[in-house]
Amino acid sequence: MHGHGYAQPQPPPPPGGTLVTLRVMFVVLAVVTCGLLAWAPLVRLAIVTRKAHDWIVLGVVTALDITGLVLIGVDPGEEEFQGPGNAGMVVLLCTLMAAVAYYLFAEIRHFSRLPQPSFHGYATQQTRPAYGYPQPQPQQPTAPPEPPVQQPPAQQPPAHQTPPPSAPPAPARIHRVRAELDELSDYLRKQQGGG
């Protein structure tokens, strides 16, 4: 009665197009800045996954970016980089490649493990019988029909009768409507013939 309550449901992943767009934007941001903002995709990854090791990777990448910037800043060369500047650029570019690769790998893995909403096709519509009509009964297999017994023709049937249906027996309401229509047609013939 006084328990912890229900766990909060996991939010569904964003649509596939949104994920791809975000991935492309963060990778382009890191590449266009030559690795200066290589930490930006990792901030998103750490926030999305909420895992400690992603925060640690973010800290390491940020530290390497700062180290690369310091090495470039202390380079004594006027026109070209010399020793420390070259080392700083190598650190920035290597950090860029590693950060982008890790970001794409970890984010794709994270979102592939989430339960994806699956599409099971369109739902079949349950039709209920309309008011006043009987509900259809499931048909059971019937035994093969026996051959009809030949009776001597006592009377020729009138021309207005229809041959007996070969379909399975219809519901009672259809029989009643059929009988009423037969009575109506007999009545109309009598009216036309006798009138």
Side-chain angles (χ1 to χ4, degrees):
M1 190 163 171
H2 298 289
H4 294 289
Y6 295 110
Q8 295 219 347
Q10 184 78 6
T18 305
L19 283 176
V20 171
T21 303
L22 286 172
R23 288 175 189 152
V24 168
M25 286 176 43
F26 278 104
V27 169
V28 166
L29 177 70
V31 170
V32 166
T33 60
C34 294
L36 293 175
L37 296 178
W39 52 269
L42 297 176
V43 168
R44 180 186 188 291
L45 179 67
I47 290 171
V48 168
T49 62
R50 300 179 187 156
K51 293 184 180 176
H53 67 274
D54 288 334
W55 288 102
I56 293 170
V57 170
L58 171 63
V60 169
V61 167
T62 304
L64 286 171
D65 278 350
I66 291 171
T67 303
L69 284 175
V70 167
L71 287 173
I72 292 172
V74 297
D75 185 60
E78 295 288 325
E79 295 282 327
E80 294 182 5
F81 286 133
Q82 297 195 355
N86 286 337
M89 281 306 294
V90 168
V91 168
L92 280 179
L93 293 177
C94 289
T95 303
L96 166 69
M97 289 188 300
V100 166
Y102 179 76
Y103 166 69
L104 291 175
F105 168 76
E107 183 169 285
I108 291 170
R109 184 182 65 188
H110 171 73
F111 282 110
S112 68
R113 289 184 180 174
L114 289 179
Q116 299 292 325
S118 58
F119 180 71
H120 296 293
Y122 294 105
T124 58
Q125 192 175 36
Q126 297 286 334
T127 58
R128 293 179 14 187
Y131 179 75
Y133 290 98
Q135 197 165 10
Q137 301 294 326
Q139 293 187 1
Q140 298 176 355
T142 59
E146 296 179 11
V149 178
Q150 293 283 338
Q151 294 181 355
Q155 233 180 8
Q156 186 133 10
H160 71 276
Q161 287 185 350
T162 59
S166 61
R173 182 175 173 94
I174 294 177
H175 287 301
R176 188 176 61 201
V177 169
R178 205 175 271 160
E180 289 174 0
L181 286 174
D182 287 341
E183 287 177 23
L184 182 61
S185 66
D186 287 341
Y187 177 75
L188 290 174
R189 279 196 191 90
K190 287 179 187 177
Q191 291 292 331
Q192 285 177 352

